[in-house]
Amino acid sequence: MRDPEFVELRKRFGIGILVILVFAIPFLIFITKKFMAETSPIINGINNEQSMIVFVEKANCDDCKIVENTLNEYGVEYYKLNSSSERNYKTILHKINITTTDIDEPTLLYIEDGKFYAALVSIKAREEVTNFLLTYGYLDSNNERSTNNE
């Protein structure tokens, strides 16, 4: 015969497990959405099929400063992606179907309608940035900001 204390203990254990699951599952879903969610504005732009310039940089990069100063001087709107500190770096590259071997900082990526379109890799001179921006309509021929991509 079954011991009534054992049966009661087994019922309490089952109820305890059920209560833990009822509270643990929503908590895990919350934590997953909070910390694992793709909250990067670049990812949001890709998902919303936007066109954008993404500037890929890394820490202590002298050529990166040239690129950033040029973009700021022209007033071009761009997204900055730091290859050494951005937690979504590889996710972003994966979303646009390129790998880390395709990137050599500084790099400018042109994303059109949420898809990778072109890249300017290992930039060394201001003129390279200017020509890239002219090619993709972010500047007009007078080196002024174009109204097409605002």
Coordinates of all heavy atoms in Angstrom, one line a residue, residues 63-128:
D63 N 42.5 56.5 -39.6 CA 41.7 56.6 -40.8 C 40.2 56.8 -40.6 O 39.5 57.4 -41.3 CB 42.0 55.5 -41.8 CG 43.4 55.5 -42.3 OD1 44.0 56.6 -42.4 OD2 44.0 54.4 -42.6
C64 N 39.8 56.1 -39.5 CA 38.3 56.2 -39.1 C 38.0 57.7 -38.8 O 36.9 58.1 -39.1 CB 38.0 55.4 -37.9 SG 38.2 53.6 -38.3
K65 N 38.9 58.4 -38.2 CA 38.6 59.8 -37.9 C 38.5 60.7 -39.1 O 37.6 61.6 -39.2 CB 39.7 60.4 -37.0 CG 39.8 59.7 -35.6 CD 40.9 60.2 -34.8 CE 40.9 59.4 -33.5 NZ 42.2 59.2 -32.9
I66 N 39.3 60.4 -40.2 CA 39.2 61.1 -41.4 C 37.8 60.8 -42.0 O 37.1 61.8 -42.5 CB 40.2 60.6 -42.4 CG1 41.6 61.0 -41.9 CG2 40.0 61.1 -43.8 CD1 42.8 60.3 -42.7
V67 N 37.3 59.6 -42.0 CA 36.0 59.3 -42.6 C 34.9 60.0 -41.8 O 34.0 60.6 -42.4 CB 35.8 57.7 -42.6 CG1 34.4 57.4 -43.1 CG2 36.8 57.1 -43.5
E68 N 35.0 59.8 -40.5 CA 33.9 60.4 -39.7 C 33.9 62.0 -39.8 O 32.8 62.6 -39.9 CB 34.1 60.1 -38.2 CG 33.0 60.5 -37.3 CD 33.1 59.9 -35.9 OE1 34.1 59.5 -35.5 OE2 32.0 59.9 -35.3
N69 N 35.0 62.6 -39.8 CA 35.1 64.1 -40.0 C 34.5 64.5 -41.4 O 33.8 65.5 -41.5 CB 36.5 64.6 -39.9 CG 37.0 64.5 -38.5 OD1 36.2 64.4 -37.5 ND2 38.3 64.5 -38.3
T70 N 34.8 63.7 -42.4 CA 34.3 64.0 -43.8 C 32.7 63.8 -43.8 O 32.0 64.7 -44.3 CB 34.9 63.1 -44.8 OG1 36.3 63.2 -44.7 CG2 34.4 63.4 -46.2
L71 N 32.2 62.8 -43.2 CA 30.8 62.6 -43.2 C 30.1 63.7 -42.4 O 29.1 64.2 -42.8 CB 30.4 61.2 -42.5 CG 30.8 60.0 -43.3 CD1 30.7 58.7 -42.4 CD2 30.0 59.8 -44.6
N72 N 30.7 64.1 -41.3 CA 30.1 65.1 -40.5 C 30.2 66.5 -41.2 O 29.3 67.3 -41.1 CB 30.8 65.2 -39.1 CG 30.4 64.0 -38.2 OD1 29.4 63.4 -38.4 ND2 31.3 63.7 -37.3
E73 N 31.3 66.7 -41.9 CA 31.5 68.0 -42.6 C 30.4 68.2 -43.7 O 29.9 69.3 -43.9 CB 32.9 68.0 -43.2 CG 33.2 69.3 -44.0 CD 34.5 69.3 -44.6 OE1 35.5 68.8 -44.0 OE2 34.6 69.7 -45.8
Y74 N 30.1 67.1 -44.3 CA 29.0 67.1 -45.4 C 27.6 67.0 -44.8 O 26.7 67.2 -45.5 CB 29.2 66.0 -46.4 CG 30.4 66.2 -47.3 CD1 31.3 65.1 -47.5 CD2 30.7 67.4 -47.9 CE1 32.4 65.2 -48.4 CE2 31.8 67.5 -48.7 CZ 32.6 66.5 -49.0 OH 33.7 66.6 -49.8
G75 N 27.5 66.8 -43.5 CA 26.2 66.7 -42.9 C 25.4 65.4 -43.3 O 24.2 65.5 -43.3
V76 N 26.1 64.4 -43.7 CA 25.5 63.2 -44.1 C 25.0 62.4 -42.9 O 25.7 62.2 -41.9 CB 26.5 62.3 -44.9 CG1 25.9 60.9 -45.2 CG2 26.9 63.0 -46.2
E77 N 23.8 61.9 -43.0 CA 23.2 61.1 -41.9 C 23.8 59.7 -42.1 O 23.7 59.1 -43.2 CB 21.7 61.1 -41.9 CG 21.1 62.4 -41.5 CD 19.6 62.4 -41.4 OE1 19.0 61.3 -41.1 OE2 19.0 63.4 -41.7
Y78 N 24.3 59.1 -41.1 CA 24.9 57.7 -41.2 C 24.7 57.0 -39.8 O 24.5 57.7 -38.8 CB 26.4 57.8 -41.6 CG 27.3 58.5 -40.6 CD1 28.0 57.8 -39.6 CD2 27.4 59.9 -40.6 CE1 28.8 58.4 -38.7 CE2 28.2 60.5 -39.7 CZ 28.9 59.8 -38.8 OH 29.7 60.4 -37.9
Y79 N 24.9 55.7 -39.8 CA 24.9 54.9 -38.6 C 26.4 54.5 -38.4 O 27.0 54.0 -39.3 CB 24.0 53.7 -38.8 CG 22.5 54.1 -38.8 CD1 21.9 54.2 -40.1 CD2 21.8 54.4 -37.7 CE1 20.6 54.6 -40.2 CE2 20.5 54.7 -37.8 CZ 19.9 54.8 -39.0 OH 18.6 55.1 -39.1
K80 N 26.8 54.6 -37.2 CA 28.1 54.1 -36.8 C 28.1 52.7 -36.2 O 27.2 52.4 -35.4 CB 28.7 55.1 -35.8 CG 30.2 55.0 -35.7 CD 30.8 55.9 -34.5 CE 30.5 57.4 -34.7 NZ 31.2 58.2 -33.7
L81 N 28.9 51.9 -36.7 CA 29.0 50.5 -36.2 C 30.5 50.2 -35.8 O 31.4 50.2 -36.7 CB 28.6 49.5 -37.3 CG 28.6 48.0 -37.1 CD1 27.7 47.7 -35.9 CD2 28.2 47.3 -38.3
N82 N 30.7 50.0 -34.5 CA 32.0 49.8 -34.0 C 32.3 48.3 -34.0 O 31.6 47.5 -33.3 CB 32.2 50.4 -32.6 CG 33.7 50.4 -32.2 OD1 34.3 49.4 -32.3 ND2 34.1 51.5 -31.8
S83 N 33.3 47.8 -34.8 CA 33.5 46.4 -34.9 C 34.1 45.8 -33.6 O 34.0 44.6 -33.5 CB 34.5 46.1 -36.1 OG 35.7 46.7 -35.8
S84 N 34.6 46.6 -32.8 CA 35.2 46.0 -31.6 C 34.3 46.1 -30.3 O 34.6 45.4 -29.3 CB 36.6 46.7 -31.3 OG 36.4 48.0 -31.2
S85 N 33.3 46.9 -30.4 CA 32.4 47.0 -29.2 C 30.9 46.8 -29.4 O 30.2 46.6 -28.4 CB 32.7 48.4 -28.5 OG 32.2 49.4 -29.3
E86 N 30.5 46.9 -30.6 CA 29.0 46.7 -30.8 C 28.6 45.2 -30.7 O 29.1 44.4 -31.4 CB 28.7 47.2 -32.3 CG 27.3 46.9 -32.7 CD 26.2 47.7 -32.0 OE1 26.4 48.9 -31.7 OE2 25.1 47.1 -31.7
R87 N 27.7 45.0 -29.8 CA 27.3 43.6 -29.5 C 26.5 43.0 -30.6 O 26.5 41.8 -30.8 CB 26.5 43.5 -28.2 CG 25.1 44.0 -28.3 CD 24.4 43.9 -26.9 NE 23.1 44.4 -27.1 CZ 22.1 43.8 -26.5 NH1 22.2 42.9 -25.6 NH2 20.9 44.3 -26.6
N88 N 25.9 43.8 -31.5 CA 25.2 43.2 -32.6 C 26.0 43.3 -33.9 O 25.4 43.1 -35.0 CB 23.9 44.1 -32.8 CG 22.9 43.9 -31.7 OD1 22.7 42.7 -31.3 ND2 22.2 44.9 -31.3
Y89 N 27.3 43.5 -33.8 CA 28.1 43.6 -35.0 C 28.0 42.4 -36.0 O 27.6 42.6 -37.2 CB 29.6 43.8 -34.6 CG 30.6 43.8 -35.7 CD1 30.6 44.9 -36.6 CD2 31.5 42.8 -35.9 CE1 31.5 44.9 -37.6 CE2 32.4 42.8 -36.9 CZ 32.4 43.9 -37.8 OH 33.3 43.9 -38.8
K90 N 28.2 41.2 -35.5 CA 28.1 40.1 -36.4 C 26.7 39.8 -36.9 O 26.4 39.4 -38.0 CB 28.7 38.8 -35.7 CG 30.2 38.9 -35.6 CD 30.8 37.7 -35.0 CE 32.3 37.8 -34.9 NZ 32.9 36.6 -34.3
T91 N 25.7 40.1 -36.0 CA 24.3 40.0 -36.4 C 23.9 40.9 -37.6 O 23.3 40.5 -38.5 CB 23.4 40.3 -35.2 OG1 23.7 39.4 -34.1 CG2 21.9 40.1 -35.6
I92 N 24.4 42.1 -37.5 CA 24.2 43.1 -38.6 C 24.8 42.6 -39.9 O 24.2 42.6 -40.9 CB 24.7 44.5 -38.2 CG1 23.8 45.0 -37.0 CG2 24.7 45.4 -39.3 CD1 24.3 46.3 -36.3
L93 N 26.1 42.2 -39.8 CA 26.7 41.7 -41.0 C 26.0 40.5 -41.6 O 25.9 40.4 -42.8 CB 28.2 41.4 -40.7 CG 29.1 42.5 -40.3 CD1 30.5 42.1 -40.1 CD2 29.0 43.7 -41.2
H94 N 25.6 39.6 -40.7 CA 24.8 38.4 -41.2 C 23.5 38.8 -41.9 O 23.2 38.2 -42.9 CB 24.6 37.5 -40.0 CG 23.8 36.3 -40.4 ND1 24.4 35.2 -41.1 CD2 22.5 35.9 -40.2 CE1 23.5 34.3 -41.3 NE2 22.3 34.7 -40.7
K95 N 22.8 39.8 -41.3 CA 21.6 40.3 -41.9 C 21.7 40.8 -43.3 O 20.8 40.7 -44.2 CB 20.9 41.3 -41.1 CG 20.1 40.7 -39.9 CD 19.3 41.8 -39.3 CE 18.0 41.3 -38.7 NZ 17.1 40.5 -39.4
I96 N 22.9 41.4 -43.6 CA 23.1 41.9 -45.0 C 24.0 41.0 -45.8 O 24.5 41.4 -46.9 CB 23.7 43.4 -44.9 CG1 25.0 43.5 -44.1 CG2 22.6 44.3 -44.3 CD1 25.6 44.8 -44.2
N97 N 24.2 39.8 -45.3 CA 25.0 38.8 -46.1 C 26.4 39.1 -46.4 O 26.9 38.9 -47.5 CB 24.2 38.4 -47.4 CG 22.9 37.8 -47.1 OD1 22.7 37.0 -46.2 ND2 21.9 38.1 -47.8
I98 N 27.1 39.7 -45.4 CA 28.6 39.8 -45.5 C 29.2 39.3 -44.3 O 28.6 39.0 -43.3 CB 29.0 41.3 -45.8 CG1 28.6 42.2 -44.7 CG2 28.4 41.8 -47.1 CD1 29.1 43.6 -44.8
T99 N 30.5 39.0 -44.4 CA 31.2 38.5 -43.2 C 32.3 39.5 -42.7 O 32.6 40.5 -43.4 CB 32.0 37.2 -43.6 OG1 33.0 37.5 -44.6 CG2 31.0 36.2 -44.2
T100 N 32.9 39.1 -41.6 CA 33.9 40.0 -41.0 C 35.1 40.1 -41.9 O 35.9 41.1 -41.9 CB 34.3 39.5 -39.6 OG1 34.8 38.1 -39.7 CG2 33.2 39.6 -38.6
T101 N 35.4 39.1 -42.8 CA 36.5 39.1 -43.7 C 36.2 40.1 -44.9 O 37.2 40.5 -45.5 CB 36.8 37.7 -44.3 OG1 35.7 37.2 -44.9 CG2 37.2 36.8 -43.2
D102 N 35.0 40.5 -45.1 CA 34.7 41.5 -46.1 C 34.9 42.9 -45.6 O 34.8 43.9 -46.4 CB 33.2 41.4 -46.5 CG 32.9 40.0 -47.1 OD1 33.7 39.5 -47.8 OD2 31.7 39.6 -46.9
I103 N 35.2 43.1 -44.3 CA 35.3 44.4 -43.7 C 36.8 44.6 -43.3 O 37.4 43.8 -42.7 CB 34.4 44.5 -42.4 CG1 33.0 44.2 -42.7 CG2 34.6 45.8 -41.7 CD1 32.3 45.3 -43.5
D104 N 37.3 45.8 -43.6 CA 38.6 46.3 -43.1 C 38.4 47.7 -42.7 O 38.2 48.6 -43.6 CB 39.7 46.1 -44.1 CG 41.0 46.3 -43.6 OD1 41.2 46.3 -42.3 OD2 42.0 46.6 -44.4
E105 N 38.4 48.0 -41.5 CA 38.0 49.4 -41.0 C 39.1 50.4 -41.4 O 40.2 50.1 -41.5 CB 37.9 49.4 -39.5 CG 36.8 48.5 -38.9 CD 37.2 47.1 -38.8 OE1 38.3 46.7 -39.2 OE2 36.4 46.3 -38.3
P106 N 38.6 51.6 -41.8 CA 37.2 52.0 -41.9 C 36.6 51.6 -43.2 O 37.2 51.5 -44.2 CB 37.3 53.5 -41.8 CG 38.7 53.8 -42.4 CD 39.6 52.7 -42.1
T107 N 35.3 51.3 -43.1 CA 34.5 50.9 -44.2 C 33.2 51.6 -44.2 O 32.6 51.8 -43.2 CB 34.2 49.3 -44.1 OG1 35.4 48.6 -44.3 CG2 33.2 48.9 -45.2
L108 N 32.7 52.0 -45.4 CA 31.4 52.6 -45.6 C 30.6 51.5 -46.3 O 31.0 51.0 -47.3 CB 31.4 53.9 -46.4 CG 32.0 55.1 -45.7 CD1 32.0 56.3 -46.6 CD2 31.1 55.5 -44.5
L109 N 29.4 51.3 -45.8 CA 28.4 50.4 -46.4 C 27.3 51.2 -46.9 O 26.7 52.0 -46.2 CB 28.0 49.3 -45.4 CG 29.0 48.4 -44.7 CD1 28.4 47.6 -43.6 CD2 29.7 47.6 -45.7
Y110 N 26.8 50.9 -48.1 CA 25.6 51.5 -48.6 C 24.6 50.4 -48.6 O 24.7 49.4 -49.3 CB 25.8 52.1 -50.0 CG 24.5 52.7 -50.6 CD1 23.8 53.7 -49.9 CD2 24.0 52.2 -51.8 CE1 22.7 54.2 -50.4 CE2 22.9 52.7 -52.3 CZ 22.2 53.7 -51.6 OH 21.0 54.2 -52.1
I111 N 23.5 50.6 -47.9 CA 22.4 49.7 -47.8 C 21.2 50.3 -48.5 O 20.8 51.4 -48.1 CB 22.1 49.3 -46.3 CG1 23.3 48.6 -45.8 CG2 20.9 48.4 -46.2 CD1 23.3 48.3 -44.3
E112 N 20.7 49.7 -49.5 CA 19.5 50.2 -50.2 C 18.3 49.3 -50.0 O 18.4 48.1 -50.2 CB 19.9 50.3 -51.7 CG 18.8 51.0 -52.5 CD 19.2 51.3 -53.9 OE1 19.1 50.3 -54.7 OE2 19.7 52.4 -54.2
D113 N 17.2 49.9 -49.6 CA 16.0 49.1 -49.3 C 16.2 47.9 -48.4 O 15.7 46.8 -48.6 CB 15.4 48.7 -50.6 CG 15.0 49.8 -51.5 OD1 14.6 50.9 -51.0 OD2 15.1 49.7 -52.8
G114 N 17.1 48.1 -47.4 CA 17.4 47.1 -46.4 C 18.3 46.0 -46.9 O 18.5 45.0 -46.1
K115 N 18.9 46.1 -48.0 CA 19.8 45.1 -48.6 C 21.2 45.8 -48.9 O 21.3 46.9 -49.3 CB 19.3 44.5 -49.8 CG 18.0 43.7 -49.6 CD 17.5 43.1 -50.8 CE 16.2 42.2 -50.6 NZ 15.3 42.6 -49.7
F116 N 22.2 45.0 -48.6 CA 23.6 45.4 -48.9 C 23.7 45.7 -50.4 O 23.4 44.9 -51.2 CB 24.6 44.4 -48.4 CG 26.0 44.7 -48.9 CD1 26.7 45.7 -48.3 CD2 26.6 43.9 -49.9 CE1 28.0 46.0 -48.7 CE2 27.9 44.2 -50.3 CZ 28.6 45.2 -49.7
Y117 N 24.2 46.9 -50.7 CA 24.4 47.3 -52.1 C 25.8 47.5 -52.5 O 26.3 47.0 -53.5 CB 23.6 48.5 -52.4 CG 23.4 48.9 -53.8 CD1 22.5 48.2 -54.6 CD2 24.2 49.8 -54.4 CE1 22.3 48.5 -55.9 CE2 24.1 50.1 -55.8 CZ 23.1 49.5 -56.5 OH 23.0 49.8 -57.8
A118 N 26.6 48.2 -51.7 CA 28.0 48.5 -52.0 C 28.8 48.8 -50.7 O 28.2 49.2 -49.7 CB 28.1 49.7 -53.0
A119 N 30.1 48.7 -50.9 CA 31.0 49.0 -49.8 C 32.3 49.7 -50.3 O 32.7 49.4 -51.4 CB 31.4 47.7 -49.0
L120 N 32.8 50.5 -49.4 CA 34.1 51.2 -49.7 C 34.9 50.7 -48.5 O 34.7 51.1 -47.4 CB 33.9 52.7 -49.7 CG 35.2 53.5 -50.0 CD1 35.8 53.1 -51.3 CD2 34.9 55.0 -49.9
V121 N 35.9 49.9 -48.8 CA 36.6 49.2 -47.7 C 38.0 49.8 -47.6 O 38.7 50.2 -48.6 CB 36.7 47.7 -48.0 CG1 37.5 46.9 -47.0 CG2 35.3 47.1 -48.2
S122 N 38.5 49.8 -46.3 CA 39.9 50.3 -46.0 C 40.2 51.7 -46.6 O 41.1 51.9 -47.4 CB 40.9 49.2 -46.5 OG 42.2 49.5 -46.1
I123 N 39.4 52.6 -46.2 CA 39.4 54.0 -46.7 C 40.7 54.7 -46.2 O 41.0 54.6 -45.0 CB 38.2 54.8 -46.3 CG1 36.9 54.0 -46.8 CG2 38.2 56.2 -46.8 CD1 35.7 54.5 -46.2
K124 N 41.4 55.3 -47.1 CA 42.6 56.0 -46.7 C 42.6 57.5 -46.9 O 43.4 58.3 -46.4 CB 43.9 55.4 -47.4 CG 44.1 54.0 -47.2 CD 44.5 53.7 -45.8 CE 44.8 52.2 -45.6 NZ 44.7 51.8 -44.2
A125 N 41.7 58.0 -47.7 CA 41.7 59.4 -48.1 C 40.2 60.0 -48.1 O 39.3 59.3 -48.4 CB 42.3 59.6 -49.5
R126 N 40.2 61.2 -47.9 CA 38.9 62.0 -47.9 C 38.2 61.9 -49.2 O 37.0 61.8 -49.3 CB 39.2 63.4 -47.5 CG 38.1 64.4 -47.4 CD 38.7 65.8 -47.1 NE 37.8 66.8 -46.7 CZ 36.7 67.2 -47.2 NH1 36.2 66.6 -48.2 NH2 36.0 68.2 -46.7
E127 N 39.0 61.9 -50.3 CA 38.4 61.9 -51.7 C 37.7 60.6 -51.9 O 36.7 60.6 -52.7 CB 39.5 62.1 -52.7 CG 40.2 63.4 -52.7 CD 41.2 63.6 -51.5 OE1 41.7 62.6 -51.0 OE2 41.4 64.8 -51.1
E128 N 38.1 59.5 -51.3 CA 37.4 58.2 -51.5 C 36.0 58.3 -50.9 O 35.0 57.9 -51.5 CB 38.1 57.1 -50.8 CG 39.5 56.7 -51.4 CD 40.2 55.7 -50.6 OE1 40.8 56.0 -49.6 OE2 40.0 54.5 -51.0

